[in-house]
Amino acid sequence: MDRAALADFLRRRREALQPADVGLASGARRRTPGLRREEVAALATMSTDYYTRLEQQRGPQPSPQLLASLARALRLTRDERDYLFRVAGHNAPASVSAATHVAPALLRVLDRLADTPALILSNLGEILVQNRMAEALFGDRSGHTGLARSEIYRWFTDPAERSRYPEEDRERQSRAQVANLRAAYGSMGPQSRAGELVRALQKISPEFVELWERHEVAQRFADHKTLIHPELGPIELDCQVLFTEDQSQALLVLTAPPRSEGYEKLQLLAVLGHERFPADTTRG
């Protein structure tokens, strides 16, 4: 049980909610942001004293049933619910783990995608396999080693990593990277490779530290995004994601509507291939 992480997570999620979000009247002017502790306790059918002790790192380990009630009271997503269970010292309702052995089912799908960029990622943002079109779009990612294998790590340590996103979209992408790592950290624990990533980034990236403290948790992949290719410029693409059953790997497929500018650029990319474009300028 990670008392500090549990307490901070509960407080952050409580402060992020408004009374109307949980069907309560706003009432008189509030001195603190979000819900009151007694309101969360009532929604979770537990005593205010017990909930308060959890936020103050003094409470006993909550049971799975109590955690489920808290998750409902705080309107947690599935990723956030799983994280809550993990930091409280319990197995999450759905097991999630990192893996480097590519799921055969995802490979079978990837093998049939020759005309559009597709790649398989671990839940730590490591590209495990990418097809020819993905290499043409992103560059060959097989040369990275150690922590740099993780896109999350590179995002906060290598300025060139951000060059494939428009400047106005980089803040959202930073939050998405941290939320994804928070989900992996919750499932794998502080002594895992996810924990190693967190500790390394906390030492070298103030931006990461600030975002990590928000306790946002999600496996996020935008449905629509703009990627900047060094030769073809901005390419607007739709992103579809297929997860393995244990959520440890994801197949990302990038497409564009027929006859759109993005579609035409993908057709050109298929003809040109990736050999003309150095990998170190297209990383990301």
Side-chain angles (χ1 to χ4, degrees):
M1 179 176 174
D2 188 337
R3 292 181 182 277
L6 175 63
D8 201 27
F9 181 69
L10 290 174
R11 179 177 59 82
R12 293 278 184 170
R13 297 279 66 79
R14 175 174 61 81
E15 292 176 350
L17 287 173
Q18 296 301 316
D21 297 334
V22 295
L24 298 176
S26 297
R29 186 175 62 183
R30 291 168 175 258
R31 292 181 297 176
T32 58
L35 297 180
R36 299 185 178 101
R37 287 172 175 169
E38 58 266 27
E39 292 172 332
V40 174
L43 289 168
T45 62
M46 60 189 297
S47 73
T48 301
D49 178 68
Y50 183 82
Y51 179 80
T52 300
R53 284 187 287 155
L54 288 178
E55 282 203 6
Q56 293 176 345
Q57 304 182 38
R58 299 188 295 112
Q61 184 183 35
S63 68
Q65 293 77 15
L66 193 54
L67 291 172
S69 295
L70 277 172
R72 288 191 295 270
L74 293 170
R75 304 302 192 262
L76 302 184
T77 65
R78 187 177 64 177
D79 289 333
E80 290 170 338
R81 178 207 63 187
D82 288 354
Y83 177 77
L84 175 66
F85 271 70
R86 298 288 186 179
V87 296
H90 293 285
N91 291 328
S95 177
V96 184
S97 62
T100 56
H101 176 70
V102 180
L106 292 189
L107 277 177
R108 287 195 294 269
V109 178
L110 182 68
D111 288 341
R112 288 161 175 76
L113 298 172
D115 61 347
T116 195
L119 57 155
I120 297 175
L121 291 167
S122 77
N123 60 354
L124 295 181
E126 301 159 327
I127 293 182
L128 305 177
V129 183
Q130 57 186 146
N131 67 6
R132 186 184 66 85
M133 285 288 289
E135 288 188 6
L137 181 61
F138 297 117
D140 182 1
R141 315 306 300 276
S142 61
H144 294 296
T145 59
L147 294 177
R149 291 189 61 222
S150 169
E151 179 187 54
I152 303 168
Y153 182 83
R154 297 193 307 274
W155 181 263
F156 291 100
T157 59
D158 183 358
E161 190 74 11
R162 306 189 179 205
S163 62
R164 70 180 174 112
Y165 281 90
E167 185 173 355
E168 63 271 16
D169 195 36
R170 293 172 188 173
E171 180 179 355
R172 181 203 61 80
Q173 182 66 10
S174 291
R175 292 180 61 188
Q177 296 282 14
V178 177
N180 182 71
L181 180 55
R182 178 66 80 169
Y185 179 87
S187 68
M188 300 169 67
Q191 301 308 313
S192 66
R193 291 175 59 247
E196 184 182 3
L197 271 175
V198 171
R199 290 187 291 274
L201 288 171
Q202 285 175 327
K203 293 178 181 178
I204 57 181
S205 174
E207 179 191 10
F208 175 84
V209 171
E210 190 275 327
L211 293 174
W212 184 253
E213 291 175 352
R214 295 187 185 185
H215 277 268
E216 294 180 326
V217 187
Q219 292 176 308
R220 301 180 178 180
F221 296 95
D223 294 331
H224 185 84
K225 61 176 63 182
T226 298
L227 297 175
I228 301 176
H229 190 275
E231 297 287 340
L232 302 179
I235 307 177
E236 291 193 38
L237 298 169
D238 295 318
C239 180
Q240 288 78 40
V241 185
L242 176 64
F243 285 99
T244 54
E245 185 175 355
D246 66 357
Q247 305 285 299
S248 66
Q249 296 176 4
L251 170 65
L252 272 65
V253 183
L254 298 161
T255 63
R259 296 175 296 279
S260 67
E261 182 179 357
Y263 180 84
E264 293 176 356
K265 288 186 176 181
L266 285 183
Q267 296 300 300
L268 180 57
L269 192 64
V271 174
L272 295 177
H274 69 279
E275 295 181 358
R276 292 182 55 193
F277 315 126
D280 63 351
T281 64
T282 59
R283 293 188 299 176

